[in-house]
Amino acid sequence: MSSMAYSLYLFTRGEGPLKTSQDLIHQLEVFAEEGLKLASNVQVFSKQLKDDDKLMLLLEINKLSPLCHQLQTITKTPLQNQVFLKVDKCITKTRSMMAILVQLLSLCYKLLKKLQMENNRWVSVKNKDSMDGKT
């Protein structure tokens, strides 16, 4: 996604590999699909979390998924004589997705670190208990 985001940025500046509005629309379709895959993977990750953390993460996912679906709808809607309007709507929706992605990925990172620390403590306690039983 970070590459689908940089290409979009370059397009808005008139640079990069995306040369036509159709190139941009195709790239945004891919971006929306990747956003939905990410939301699905994060949902799987949320199943490993405790209730409060899980809820926090699911709230962010519930912001991302609709935006991805909306972007897909915009990219598939034919606007024959209004290409610039379509491109503008796509870029606006993508900007909103990027803001949510920043929050979501930051939250995932924090929760992953928290989960790892909790698992390490549990393993340490378990190892200590098993060593105490042997002495």
Side-chain angles (χ1 to χ4, degrees):
M1 290 185 81
S2 66
S3 60
M4 280 21 145
Y6 187 65
S7 293
L8 300 175
Y9 167 75
L10 290 175
F11 178 82
T12 62
R13 298 187 58 176
E15 303 171 1
L18 304 176
K19 301 297 180 195
T20 66
S21 56
Q22 194 55 42
D23 292 344
L24 175 68
I25 300 300
H26 174 72
Q27 197 62 42
L28 290 172
E29 288 174 355
V30 171
F31 187 71
E33 289 172 21
E34 291 299 316
L36 290 171
K37 287 180 189 176
L38 176 66
S40 176
N41 288 331
V42 171
Q43 201 159 23
V44 169
F45 170 62
S46 74
K47 293 178 182 178
Q48 301 174 38
L49 302 173
K50 294 181 181 170
D51 289 340
D52 289 344
D53 293 339
K54 183 178 188 173
L55 179 61
M56 212 173 10
L57 196 56
L58 291 175
L59 288 172
E60 291 302 314
I61 294 169
N62 288 338
K63 294 176 189 175
L64 178 62
S65 294
L67 287 172
C68 293
H69 287 295
Q70 291 168 10
L71 182 58
Q72 284 180 324
T73 300
I74 293 169
T75 60
K76 291 179 172 81
T77 303
L79 292 174
Q80 301 302 336
N81 297 326
Q82 299 177 338
V83 174
F84 291 112
L85 178 61
K86 184 174 183 174
V87 168
D88 184 56
K89 285 182 178 183
C90 286
I91 289 173
T92 301
K93 197 60 64 178
T94 302
R95 188 177 300 135
S96 298
M97 283 177 60
M98 292 299 294
I100 301 249
L101 282 170
V102 167
Q103 294 172 342
L104 180 63
L105 293 174
S106 175
L107 181 59
C108 283
Y109 179 77
K110 290 175 188 174
L111 293 175
L112 179 61
K113 288 294 183 187
K114 182 178 177 182
L115 184 64
Q116 288 173 338
M117 286 179 16
E118 289 171 357
N119 286 342
N120 285 342
R121 277 190 225 129
W122 186 81
V123 168
S124 296
V125 168
K126 185 178 176 186
N127 287 342
K128 184 181 180 305
D129 288 346
S130 65
M131 288 183 75
D132 287 346
K134 291 181 181 178
T135 55

